[in-house]
Amino acid sequence: MGARGELFTTQVTLDNRSYFFNVKENRTGDVFLQIVESKSKEGGDFDRHQIAIFAEDMQKFFQGMEKSLNFIEKDRKNRQKIAREKKEAKEKATAKKVYRVKSEDGAKEEGPKKTGRIHVVSKRKVEEAAETKSEE
């Protein structure tokens, strides 16, 4: 048995936090899991929080944790689905529409849809077209 009744310990280190999972035995022989969160604060100090789960309560504890993890996973998937649907709706709303126009021979051609509205052509394009016709 290790120092302070430790039977096993493992550490998970994240950005500014460390989690210690310690399996310990107390003086009366009861085995328990101690979870310690150590968080660094400004000035080099650490903020420590710990919980202890005794062996007879571990099944209930892990059942509660499993339910919580399942909820988190369902919620994450639901949020991803909603975000994907919003993105698709936005892309669909802003997408350029391509219309097919039948030509004289009946084949479909790509081009703007004819709406019956007046189409304004720049004077420069008209002048260029006239120059090219006069050159021919």
Side-chain angles (χ1 to χ4, degrees), residues 1-135:
M1 188 168 13
R4 294 180 273 163
E6 291 182 2
L7 302 174
F8 173 81
T9 187
T10 186
Q11 177 182 358
V12 176
T13 304
L14 303 174
D15 293 332
N16 66 338
R17 298 170 192 246
S18 293
Y19 295 94
F20 300 89
F21 298 90
N22 306 315
V23 178
K24 292 185 171 187
E25 182 178 8
N26 64 13
R27 291 181 187 145
T28 61
D30 296 328
V31 176
F32 62 96
L33 172 66
Q34 179 187 48
I35 302 172
V36 179
E37 175 194 37
S38 181
K39 181 170 50 172
S40 62
K41 296 182 350 184
E42 291 182 22
D45 292 337
F46 288 92
D47 191 16
R48 273 178 66 109
H49 300 281
Q50 62 186 14
I51 61 169
I53 300 106
F54 286 90
E56 60 268 9
D57 301 328
M58 280 190 198
Q59 290 300 320
K60 288 182 182 179
F61 177 82
F62 288 123
Q63 286 174 357
M65 182 176 260
E66 184 70 27
K67 286 179 184 179
S68 298
L69 292 174
N70 288 338
F71 173 81
I72 290 170
E73 184 65 19
K74 281 182 185 178
D75 185 58
R76 183 185 65 81
K77 287 180 180 179
N78 190 32
R79 288 174 188 255
Q80 284 179 339
K81 180 182 174 185
I82 290 169
R84 187 173 42 250
E85 288 172 355
K86 281 183 181 179
K87 184 179 178 183
E88 289 173 359
K90 184 178 179 182
E91 287 175 355
K92 190 174 183 179
T94 60
K96 292 184 178 180
K97 296 182 181 180
V98 176
Y99 296 96
R100 309 264 186 237
V101 180
K102 287 187 180 180
S103 64
E104 293 173 7
D105 62 353
K108 290 186 177 180
E109 297 176 2
E110 288 188 22
K113 182 179 179 181
K114 295 183 181 178
T115 60
R117 296 183 183 162
I118 298 173
H119 181 70
V120 178
V121 179
S122 107
K123 290 181 182 179
R124 188 178 298 159
K125 288 183 181 179
V126 173
E127 291 171 358
E128 288 174 2
E131 286 178 15
T132 56
K133 283 185 182 180
S134 65
E135 291 176 3

